[in-house]
Amino acid sequence: MRSYIKLSLAVLSALAVVVNGTDNNAIADSLGLHLSLRTEILFLPDPNYENFTQRHSSFANPSYNIAIKPATTQDVSKIVKYANEHNFTYMATGGGHGISRGFSHVQGAIDIDLGKFNKTQLYLDDNLVTVGAANVLADFAETLYKAGKEIPTGNSPCVSAIGATIGAGVGPMQGLRGLMIDSLRSVLMVTPNGDIVTASKTENPDLFWAIRGAGANFGIITEATYEVYDATNNGQHINADFVYGPESAHGVFAVMSHWDSDDVYPKEMSMSVTLGVNSTTRLPFISVSVYYFGPYEAAKPYLQALVDIEPVRWHNASLGWDGMTQAAGFGQTFAKACVRGRYTSHYTAGLNQTDVHTWKTVFRQFASWSGPRPWFQGSIILQRYNAKVTQQVPEADCGAYPWRDIGTLVLMANTYDGPAHDAEVDGFYRTLRESIYKGSGFSSPHVYINFGNGDEGTEAWYGPSLPRLRKLKQKWDPRGRFGPGFPIPPESGVHFCFDT
Ligand SMILES: Cc1cc2nc3c(=O)[nH]c(=O)nc-3n(C[C@H](O)[C@H](O)[C@H](O)COP(=O)(O)OP(=O)(O)OC[C@H]3O[C@@H](n4cnc5c(N)ncnc54)[C@H](O)[C@@H]3O)c2cc1C
Ligand SMILES: *[C@@H]1O[C@H](CO)[C@@H](O)[C@H](O)[C@H]1NC(C)=O
Ligand SMILES: *[C@@H]1O[C@H](CO)[C@@H](O)[C@H](O)[C@H]1NC(C)=O
Ligand SMILES: *[C@@H]1O[C@H](CO)[C@@H](O)[C@H](O)[C@H]1NC(C)=O
Ligand SMILES: *[C@@H]1O[C@H](CO)[C@@H](O)[C@H](O)[C@H]1NC(C)=O
Ligand SMILES: *[C@@H]1O[C@H](CO)[C@@H](O)[C@H](O)[C@H]1NC(C)=O
Ligand SMILES: *[C@@H]1O[C@H](CO)[C@@H](O)[C@H](O)[C@H]1NC(C)=O
């Protein structure tokens, strides 16, 4: 069944596919006619779907019968109202980089692809920038760097800015500027019942609180406005990369452990430590990528500490902050970040400390498990950001994200050849994660949902924010239509679409 509809209803009248008890004609008549002309509707499968936003990972994906690319916020509102009335399941697609086993509960749904919301507008006089739901993190760099400004952004150029933000938004400038939610000033959004509202500190403040940490549970944001800052060190930073053999593991973890204290580890620094296995030799290695948002002289002692543990290869350079992610890992690391359609699952843990014994053991177990499994291409990444600034945010401005005390984020990104190896991978990583939790320095799991697997549970995702989030879920989304990846049960627990 092929049907590419830019509201060309002549094409539609020939169709009579029944989706969710409603045929395509009826959908096109009752919904399509009311949407603006630039909106695109596809009934799947359709070859034109390749021009919609594809998912980064094919793990536990949602399945769709209909895909719509709305052109305006009013269109999004109409689609949500229509889908609610007809009991269609739906999910918004921003940058498509989300991964959660919860997405597999979304079946036969409507894909609301936000790909047309792509404006980036800088308001220099007010130090504000507005981006659309389709804008990716790289768009910030392009717009702001030239203007001498900066904003805390993430590591990956292709993740949507809003998608990253509504989980918290972590990244290299976090030590200096806090989380992305800390720069968020307002959003334009469609609520779960289809109303268009603004949420900010002064308008719908409860909703604004909830979307800063649990955003995918509370509606669809079409635009977001952030505060921007004068670029640190005139926008120049030091970019350095190191590769170590397994014999340096103790040295690397000992340095990390020494840097656990936010009084020792500078807020200008971001460090990403990757435990990997060479895809050809299957031998383990450790690589370290550093960004230092300051002059070379200030970075030098920290680089020296990493040189002292004898990398097999290293380099450093001074660059504009807009080029940081492209340069990382000798220019290799992020080549893969924008690829779509590989099979990747995530596991994660937040750390309050780098326990040397725990991490030497994790590295050894990871190497001996993945080495002999050539179908496995995963790695374990530890991201260390100074957490002082994130913890100094006054409580009234914090939002729902509960884990501002995480000093190091662990992301286990597991790329492999498909579902046939799910049980083996999940078995290994669940056990490994237990020992990482144990050595984390926190008494309970601290999970950053945007790096999560989807199996951790509401306490690990939302911690002390959970009671208030459940109240707000009851108020804004009592049917639990939103947030399949990391769902919040409504307070009453009466009905819950994505209960896992
Ligand atoms: C390679 C890679 C690198 C990453 N790097 C970072 C990083 O540096 N920092 C960081 O914080 N995170 C990072 N992440 C995690 C990322 O923030 C999350 O995966 C995030 O959910 C991606 O958002 P998206 O819009 O691209 O994904 P999508 O899959 O499109 O969306 C994920 C979820 O959010 C919902 N959603 C998306 N857009 C909206 C919207 N506008 N309004 C309401 N709901 C919406 C979707 O419905 C879905 O439930 C990375 C992920 C990957 C795969
Ligand atoms: C996708 O869009 C491009 C550019 O508009 C177009 O050339 C191509 O034919 C489209 N793909 C399909 C399958 O229609
Ligand atoms: C949608 O579901 C509700 C609650 O289960 C039901 O009352 C209603 O009749 C359904 N509507 C349609 C159009 O199926
Ligand atoms: C936004 O999308 C429109 C239509 O697809 C395109 O013409 C335009 O170049 C895009 N703008 C940006 C900033 O990507
Ligand atoms: C993997 O090992 C091969 C052979 O020693 C080497 O040529 C290659 O550079 C290594 N790959 C990486 C990413 O280090
Ligand atoms: C590191 O940067 C300094 C200052 O630019 C330079 O002198 C030195 O050669 C660099 N070292 C390496 C290994 O890249
Ligand atoms: C994290 O570690 C620091 C320093 O060891 C300690 O003071 C603090 O209580 C720990 N935080 C938590 C939440 O356990």
Side-chain angles (χ1 to χ4, degrees):
M1 191 61 52
R2 324 166 107 234
S3 55
Y4 182 53
I5 296 150
K6 278 192 166 163
L7 291 218
S8 116
L9 293 177
V11 178
L12 265 184
S13 57
L15 302 170
V17 174
V18 175
V19 179
N20 212 30
T22 312
D23 73 40
N24 287 353
N25 287 341
I27 295 167
D29 284 351
S30 53
L31 175 63
L33 275 177
H34 297 103
L35 300 176
S36 59
L37 276 175
R38 279 178 51 242
T39 290
E40 295 169 47
I41 305 181
L42 303 179
F43 296 96
L44 305 177
D46 185 310
N48 291 291
Y49 190 61
E50 78 176 35
N51 279 346
F52 279 49
T53 307
Q54 302 300 305
R55 302 203 61 76
H56 171 74
S57 168
S58 56
F59 173 81
N61 267 352
S63 90
Y64 299 117
N65 287 337
I66 301 176
I68 309 182
K69 249 194 211 185
T72 66
T73 304
Q74 282 74 17
D75 291 335
V76 175
S77 156
K78 286 174 187 166
I79 295 163
V80 167
K81 284 184 173 168
Y82 179 87
N84 288 346
E85 238 166 67
H86 294 81
N87 291 337
F88 277 101
T89 304
Y90 50 89
M91 186 168 119
T93 303
H97 275 244
I99 299 175
S100 166
R101 65 177 64 243
F103 291 158
S104 62
H105 296 284
V106 178
Q107 291 291 321
I110 301 177
D111 176 10
I112 305 178
D113 184 329
L114 302 172
K116 287 187 193 281
F117 293 90
N118 71 347
K119 85 166 183 198
T120 317
Q121 180 106 43
L122 180 59
Y123 304 95
L124 262 183
D125 292 345
D126 298 322
N127 275 323
L128 295 173
V129 66
T130 298
V131 297
N135 286 101
V136 292
L137 292 170
D139 294 339
F140 276 138
E142 235 164 71
T143 308
L144 298 183
Y145 177 73
K146 282 192 219 94
K149 299 289 176 183
E150 72 188 20
I151 195 167
T153 158
N155 280 291
S156 170
C158 294
V159 169
S160 86
I162 293 175
T165 303
I166 59 182
V170 305
M173 253 177 232
Q174 188 179 321
L176 278 175
R177 300 294 188 187
L179 301 159
M180 291 178 75
I181 48 173
D182 299 333
S183 295
L184 188 66
R185 295 294 167 260
S186 71
V187 298
L188 179 66
M189 65 186 288
V190 172
T191 65
N193 69 12
D195 293 337
I196 299 174
V197 302
T198 298
S200 69
K201 231 182 138 172
T202 51
E203 286 178 79
N204 297 300
D206 63 343
L207 201 49
F208 189 57
W209 178 82
I211 57 139
R212 285 175 293 159
N217 267 278
F218 289 92
I220 299 178
I221 297 166
T222 55
E223 269 182 33
T225 299
Y226 300 80
E227 183 170 347
V228 300
Y229 314 93
D230 291 338
T232 301
N233 195 41
N234 297 315
Q236 298 306 294
H237 79 292
I238 302 302
N239 202 305
D241 292 303
F242 305 80
V243 179
Y244 301 92
E247 66 286 353
S248 296
H250 178 89
V252 171
F253 297 130
V255 166
M256 291 187 75
S257 172
H258 178 58
W259 286 347
D260 276 341
S261 161
D262 286 335
D263 295 325
V264 175
Y265 184 79
K267 60 189 194 315
E268 292 83 2
M269 184 154 155
S270 147
M271 179 168 65
S272 191
V273 177
T274 301
L275 317 183
V277 168
N278 180 305
S279 57
T280 317
T281 64
R282 305 306 297 171
L283 295 173
F285 67 87
I286 299 179
S287 65
V288 178
S289 264
V290 171
Y291 309 128
Y292 192 98
F293 299 99
Y296 177 69
E297 286 309 317
K300 213 172 162 186
Y302 304 97
L303 302 183
Q304 191 57 48
L306 292 164
V307 171
D308 288 346
I309 36 181
E310 300 184 349
V312 292
R313 181 158 86 104
W314 81 282
H315 86 135
N316 65 185
S318 177
L319 293 173
W321 79 263
D322 61 329
M324 64 185 180
T325 56
Q326 285 83 344
F330 301 95
Q332 298 298 307
T333 308
F334 295 99
K336 279 185 283 184
C338 295
V339 171
R340 294 182 194 257
R342 299 203 305 168
Y343 194 81
T344 303
S345 70
H346 282 171
Y347 282 95
T348 190
L351 308 183
N352 189 36
Q353 64 180 26
T354 315
D355 180 64
V356 175
H357 174 73
T358 298
W359 281 94
K360 281 169 72 176
T361 308
V362 166
F363 182 53
R364 198 171 53 241
Q365 288 172 342
F366 164 77
S368 57
W369 182 84
S370 56
R373 289 174 172 77
W375 46 265
F376 185 81
Q377 303 295 331
S379 54
I380 300 179
I381 303 153
L382 294 93
Q383 298 177 0
R384 171 74 175 109
Y385 310 119
N386 186 302
K388 257 191 197 172
V389 167
T390 51
Q391 290 178 95
Q392 278 162 359
V393 172
E395 189 165 357
D397 296 332
C398 274
Y401 178 63
W403 308 130
R404 290 171 173 274
D405 50 4
I406 292 178
T408 300
L409 283 149
V410 181
L411 175 59
M412 295 167 253
N414 316 312
T415 301
Y416 54 104
D417 57 353
H421 285 118
D422 281 350
E424 207 175 330
V425 171
D426 289 331
F428 174 72
Y429 275 97
R430 283 185 174 141
T431 307
L432 195 70
R433 182 178 59 182
E434 274 313 308
S435 42
I436 295 173
Y437 282 162
K438 275 207 193 84
S440 72
F442 291 127
S443 53
S444 65
H446 285 28
V447 167
Y448 174 41
I449 53 169
N450 278 354
F451 287 0
N453 177 277
D455 72 342
E456 299 90 346
T458 49
E459 267 305 323
W461 301 331
Y462 302 115
S465 295
L466 190 56
R468 186 173 173 195
L469 282 170
R470 291 192 66 173
K471 277 202 181 68
L472 293 173
K473 189 72 173 177
Q474 184 65 40
K475 175 179 172 189
W476 293 95
D477 184 24
R479 297 288 305 275
R481 290 186 164 108
F482 281 79
F486 301 91
I488 298 165
E491 200 174 40
S492 76
V494 169
H495 180 92
F496 186 25
C497 292
F498 302 115
D499 212 347
T500 43

